[in-house]
Amino acid sequence: MAIFTTISMYIIPLLLFVILVSAIIKQVPAYETFVEGAKDGFQMAISIIPYLVAMLVAISVFRASGALDFLLEGIRPVLALIGVPTEIVPLAVMRPLSGTGALGVMSDLLAVHGPDSFIGRLASTMQGSTDTTFYVLTVYFGAVGIKKIGDSLKVGLLADICGLAAAIFFVTLVFGSM
């Protein structure tokens, strides 16, 4: 274990040193290149703001309108048949939309049910096995001007569904059901 601590302590300074030495060897102006990259990154951040605001408004409307509660009531019987707690559905719905929103839902689940409960373990595993698909498509694809996202959306949502199914399967397998 001590070797990993030592390696992790020196890896970033070593990486920076290798980058600087490489820049010197290739005669690349490292500082100027860094500043230019920072400018581009700042411009990218500015261009992302409208997409980010639109996504956050859409999430707020989805929750405030009662659509999430309506969805929960509609799928409650199906989830009961397969042994999935309905408390986990808001996280499953929120995770593809917003990482921060999903983290808030997960925090609520952990506060209510505890981190060592079936729901807590399932929420934690779901958080790690899925991605913020709509956020990625909206913000990053929008920032670089990609308009046709159909196939990316399908694959991203399929990956989220697979991640959710795997989380439910493995948490149930390892820790038992509710």
Side-chain angles (χ1 to χ4, degrees), residues 52-118:
L52 186 58
V53 169
M55 179 56 71
L56 293 175
V57 168
I59 292 167
S60 297
V61 168
F62 182 69
R63 291 187 88 178
S65 70
L68 180 61
D69 295 330
F70 182 75
L71 176 70
L72 287 175
E73 289 306 314
I75 62 173
R76 188 178 305 272
V78 175
L79 294 176
L81 285 174
I82 59 175
V84 175
T86 54
E87 295 90 348
I88 212 72
V89 174
L91 177 61
V93 170
M94 190 60 66
R95 182 66 177 147
L97 298 173
S98 165
T100 305
L103 188 59
V105 171
M106 188 184 82
S107 296
D108 291 343
L109 289 172
L110 295 179
V112 171
H113 301 283
D116 292 329
S117 67
F118 179 77

Side-chain angles (χ1 to χ4, degrees), residues 5-156:
T5 304
T6 305
I7 290 171
S8 62
M9 189 168 66
Y10 291 109
I11 195 79
I12 291 178
L14 180 64
L15 182 63
L16 291 174
F17 178 75
V18 168
I19 290 170
L20 288 174
V21 168
S22 175
I24 290 169
I25 291 170
K26 293 180 180 183
Q27 297 180 344
V28 174
Y31 181 74
E32 291 80 4
T33 304
F34 172 79
V35 170
E36 190 62 34
K39 282 183 196 176
D40 292 345
F42 186 72
Q43 290 301 325
M44 178 68 78
I46 296 296
S47 69
I48 286 174
I49 290 174
Y51 301 100
L52 186 58
V53 169
M55 179 56 71
L56 293 175
V57 168
I59 292 167
S60 297
V61 168
F62 182 69
R63 291 187 88 178
S65 70
L68 180 61
D69 295 330
F70 182 75
L71 176 70
L72 287 175
E73 289 306 314
I75 62 173
R76 188 178 305 272
V78 175
L79 294 176
L81 285 174
I82 59 175
V84 175
T86 54
E87 295 90 348
I88 212 72
V89 174
L91 177 61
V93 170
M94 190 60 66
R95 182 66 177 147
L97 298 173
S98 165
T100 305
L103 188 59
V105 171
M106 188 184 82
S107 296
D108 291 343
L109 289 172
L110 295 179
V112 171
H113 301 283
D116 292 329
S117 67
F118 179 77
I119 291 174
R121 289 175 172 153
L122 183 55
S124 299
T125 306
M126 286 171 59
Q127 185 79 354
S129 61
T130 57
D131 199 5
T132 54
T133 302
F134 286 103
Y135 177 84
V136 168
L137 293 177
T138 301
V139 175
Y140 298 116
F141 280 34
V144 295
I146 297 173
K147 302 291 184 207
K148 296 180 181 180
I149 61 169
D151 291 336
S152 299
L153 177 62
K154 291 172 193 168
V155 170

